[in-house]
Amino acid sequence: MKIDFSKMLHSSTITFDPIKNQFDYNKTFQPTMKLNADGAIAIAQYESLSLTVYDKDSNTGQNTTIGFGHLLHYGAIKVGDIQSITMDQAVSYLAKDIVVAQNTLNQKIENSGLTGQFNRSQYLALVDMTFNGGNVVDNILSAMKSGGVKSANSAFTNSYLNETNGGLKDRRYFEAQAFINGRSLTPEQANAELVSLGLK
């Protein structure tokens, strides 16, 4: 699957001042970091594709979802929800969700004073964690800010060692390998390595 994200634009985001603990609505910045197509495809591989709507999967909230893990709304399917989408629509949803994750992450990186400190593989790991784990990425950025790369590496390692959900353990391991060793693993490769390490 070839996805072209090169022409996607980033929306402006509002700068948050962590010292004042408030937003400065008069100052915006344009995020400059973004994934390439390979990074987007890597994320897509860890999201089960469904062209029909569902609300029962590995997530405990049983939220209404479609495409590559695109959240339609919280809670069970409602009357009036779309029932199916095309592959093109699924890719479009994925693209938009990745942009949201990137903007959210870039905001956090900027606010943490960590701009320019991550290479492409590390950025992929951080975007995927933001895309899938939400605020879990805050632990990584906090570790990076306080203890540098070594501390961030440990935080990534702990993220998969402490994960009990099998599918999420694969994903946290993928992120750790991307961040620490610059490796991009498929879900099958991540699972096989965890099994060989005796962690599954």
Side-chain angles (χ1 to χ4, degrees), residues 37-92:
D38 290 339
I41 291 170
I43 290 178
Q45 289 180 323
Y46 282 85
E47 293 290 337
S48 298
L49 171 63
S50 175
L51 297 180
T52 56
V53 68
Y54 63 93
D55 59 9
K56 295 180 181 178
D57 63 1
S58 61
N59 72 65
T60 56
Q62 296 186 346
N63 300 317
T64 302
T65 309
I66 202 166
F68 292 98
H70 175 71
L71 176 68
L72 291 176
H73 60 76
Y74 294 107
I77 296 171
K78 300 176 182 178
V79 175
D81 284 341
I82 58 173
Q83 296 300 304
S84 63
I85 57 175
T86 65
M87 184 62 179
D88 285 345
Q89 288 174 313
V91 171
S92 178

Side-chain angles (χ1 to χ4, degrees), residues 35-186:
L35 293 184
N36 59 15
D38 290 339
I41 291 170
I43 290 178
Q45 289 180 323
Y46 282 85
E47 293 290 337
S48 298
L49 171 63
S50 175
L51 297 180
T52 56
V53 68
Y54 63 93
D55 59 9
K56 295 180 181 178
D57 63 1
S58 61
N59 72 65
T60 56
Q62 296 186 346
N63 300 317
T64 302
T65 309
I66 202 166
F68 292 98
H70 175 71
L71 176 68
L72 291 176
H73 60 76
Y74 294 107
I77 296 171
K78 300 176 182 178
V79 175
D81 284 341
I82 58 173
Q83 296 300 304
S84 63
I85 57 175
T86 65
M87 184 62 179
D88 285 345
Q89 288 174 313
V91 171
S92 178
Y93 279 138
L94 174 65
K96 291 176 182 177
D97 289 343
I98 287 177
V99 168
V100 169
Q102 287 176 152
N103 284 346
T104 299
L105 174 63
N106 289 348
Q107 177 81 72
K108 291 181 177 184
I109 289 174
E110 177 84 1
N111 292 340
S112 299
L114 296 172
T115 301
Q117 296 192 36
F118 301 106
N119 62 35
R120 182 170 292 281
S121 293
Q122 291 171 328
Y123 186 67
L124 166 60
L126 294 169
V127 172
D128 188 69
M129 183 170 276
T130 304
F131 185 97
N132 175 254
N135 292 330
V136 176
V137 77
D138 293 350
N139 297 331
I140 306 297
L141 297 179
S142 178
M144 182 76 174
K145 186 174 179 65
S146 63
V149 174
K150 183 177 180 180
S151 181
N153 288 349
S154 295
F156 263 110
T157 300
N158 289 334
S159 74
Y160 72 80
L161 289 178
N162 296 329
E163 179 58 62
T164 57
N165 178 290
L168 289 179
K169 184 182 280 289
D170 292 347
R171 195 156 189 171
R172 298 291 88 88
Y173 182 75
F174 152 69
E175 293 159 354
Q177 288 301 307
F179 191 91
I180 299 169
N181 299 314
R183 303 171 65 214
S184 183
L185 303 177
T186 66

